[in-house]
Amino acid sequence: MRKALVVVVLLALAGAAAWYYRESQMASADFALYGNVEFDQADLAFHASRRVAEILVDEGASVHAGQVLARQDTGNIEPQIAQAEATIAYNEAVVAELRNGSRPEEIAQARANLVASETDAANLKQQYDRVRQLVSTSTASQQSLDEAKAASEIAAAKVIVSRRTLDLVLAGPREEKISQAEAQLDGAKAQLAVLKEQLADMELKSPADGVIRSKLMEPGEIATPSRAVLSLAMTGDKRVRAYVSEKELGLIREGMAAQVAIDSAPDKTFVGRVGFISPVAEFTPKTVQTEELRSSLVYEVRVHVEDPHDQLRLGMPATVTFPAAADSKPAEGAGS
């Protein structure tokens, strides 16, 4: 008896589950949500405070990612870039000269100076020796001897200087001096990079594919980072924001396939998928289109829509339906 009772209970539960599934599928065939098409939107501003030179797009224009939309006045930064480039060229020449070391002509000249100094020192040494002999025979004065000795010593010192000069020319510049010149070159390159980045920032580029919603400034006005120049509606991710009542909340789930229809193309449907269901209830917004009382609590639903032919426009009223045989994976593209 106990086993028979268990079997009866299981059969009853299975029947109830089948009935619920059938009823939910039938309900979903007639279930619809009403909302509006939405895009991500962005207000585009320049990085620096400068005068707007030109705006290259009009309201309603379709733009693509990376497209230049507006430019600032670059009159005072271009001469700075030219000056930085000249400084880099000079520093590169200095570094190249130091790395190459002394030229053969400089080495030859240093060696010739050493030979000349050694020759002068030898001659003056001989003169000093002769005057010293003459002083010993009282033929020359002590003053003459002192003068000859001083000249000989000066010539010997010049030989030492010339020899050291040749050693320095042969050794080339010190590593510290080369490092100093290279550091100055790196600093000039960094300054040029900063100026070029500032120049690039004077072009306002579109961050994504989209449509220009509005022009917020005109050429001649001063643009700042806190003051937008253009408003962009990005068309990469289109979705319908709708609201579902609490009693119908169980009929949909995230990832569920959907179909979207718009009034301007009644013979077409767009493939969609439920991307978000709010976990928190709210009062029905005034802008929503439903057949329920506006005082009822609803949950926000976002349905992402595929629009390969770019037919959906921002703010369009849209109807979202959920076919009874809805699969978790929607078909590719939009169908008729």
Side-chain angles (χ1 to χ4, degrees):
M1 286 294 293
R2 184 174 298 176
K3 290 183 178 180
L5 181 60
V6 171
V7 171
V8 171
V9 171
L10 291 177
L11 289 174
L13 290 176
W19 176 85
Y20 176 78
Y21 176 78
R22 183 175 63 255
E23 290 297 318
S24 64
Q25 293 299 309
M26 292 177 63
S28 64
D30 300 325
F31 177 50
L33 298 179
Y34 305 92
N36 297 86
V37 176
E38 287 189 346
F39 302 163
D40 289 325
Q41 301 179 57
D43 290 336
L44 307 181
F46 286 103
H47 287 78
S49 298
R50 291 179 181 272
R51 190 176 303 278
V52 177
E54 55 183 342
I55 296 178
L56 306 175
V57 292
D58 294 320
E59 294 178 349
S62 296
V63 299
H64 59 267
Q67 179 178 341
V68 178
L69 308 179
R71 291 190 178 95
Q72 288 180 307
D73 182 14
T74 61
N76 63 341
I77 198 169
E78 290 175 346
Q80 297 180 51
I81 290 177
Q83 182 181 13
E85 291 174 341
T87 301
I88 288 175
Y90 171 79
N91 288 329
E92 286 177 340
V94 171
V95 170
E97 180 182 9
L98 293 174
R99 285 176 177 171
N100 292 332
S102 303
R103 293 178 296 177
E105 295 82 0
E106 293 174 334
I107 296 174
Q109 182 179 0
R111 283 176 174 165
N113 291 338
L114 176 60
V115 171
S117 299
E118 290 175 340
T119 301
D120 290 342
N123 291 333
L124 291 173
K125 179 67 170 56
Q126 290 177 357
Q127 291 180 15
Y128 170 64
D129 291 341
R130 286 196 296 269
V131 171
R132 187 172 56 184
Q133 291 177 359
L134 293 175
V135 169
S136 62
T137 59
S138 300
T139 305
S141 63
Q142 183 64 37
Q143 182 179 356
S144 299
L145 177 62
D146 294 340
E147 291 176 352
K149 180 179 179 182
S152 178
E153 291 176 347
I154 291 173
K158 289 182 178 180
V159 170
I160 295 173
V161 172
S162 297
R163 185 174 290 112
R164 291 181 176 175
T165 300
L166 176 60
D167 292 339
L168 290 175
V169 171
L170 291 173
R174 297 177 60 179
E175 288 297 327
E176 294 83 354
K177 191 171 184 180
I178 295 176
S179 298
Q180 180 182 6
E182 289 176 339
Q184 291 177 343
L185 175 60
D186 291 340
K189 288 182 177 179
Q191 179 63 23
L192 178 61
V194 170
L195 292 172
K196 286 187 173 181
E197 183 67 23
Q198 292 178 359
L199 181 63
D201 287 342
M202 293 180 188
E203 289 187 340
L204 185 62
K205 297 181 179 180
S206 176
D209 295 345
V211 176
I212 301 299
R213 290 196 60 203
S214 57
K215 292 169 62 175
L216 306 176
M217 297 186 68
E218 295 293 336
E221 295 185 73
I222 300 297
T224 66
S226 60
R227 187 179 178 190
V229 179
L230 297 166
S231 178
L232 176 70
M234 294 178 280
T235 57
D237 179 21
K238 298 183 180 181
R239 58 188 177 271
V240 174
R241 183 194 298 268
Y243 295 86
V244 60
S245 64
E246 185 173 3
K247 69 177 183 179
E248 296 172 329
L249 183 62
L251 300 178
I252 62 173
R253 64 184 183 279
E254 293 180 352
M256 186 175 183
Q259 291 182 345
V260 176
I262 54 176
D263 296 340
S264 60
D267 58 334
K268 291 183 177 294
T269 57
F270 299 83
V271 175
R273 180 186 295 274
V274 177
F276 170 78
I277 301 175
S278 174
V280 181
E282 57 184 289
F283 286 104
T284 307
K286 293 180 180 180
T287 57
V288 76
Q289 303 172 34
T290 67
E291 298 176 357
E292 303 293 331
L293 295 176
R294 294 190 177 276
S295 60
S296 61
L297 291 176
V298 293
Y299 294 81
E300 179 186 335
V301 178
R302 298 176 199 165
V303 179
H304 297 274
V305 186
E306 297 178 11
D307 183 21
H309 303 296
D310 194 27
Q311 295 175 275
L312 299 178
R313 296 292 179 263
L314 184 65
M316 272 186 171
T319 302
V320 182
T321 57
F322 302 90
D327 196 35
S328 61
K329 295 183 179 179
E332 296 290 334
S336 359

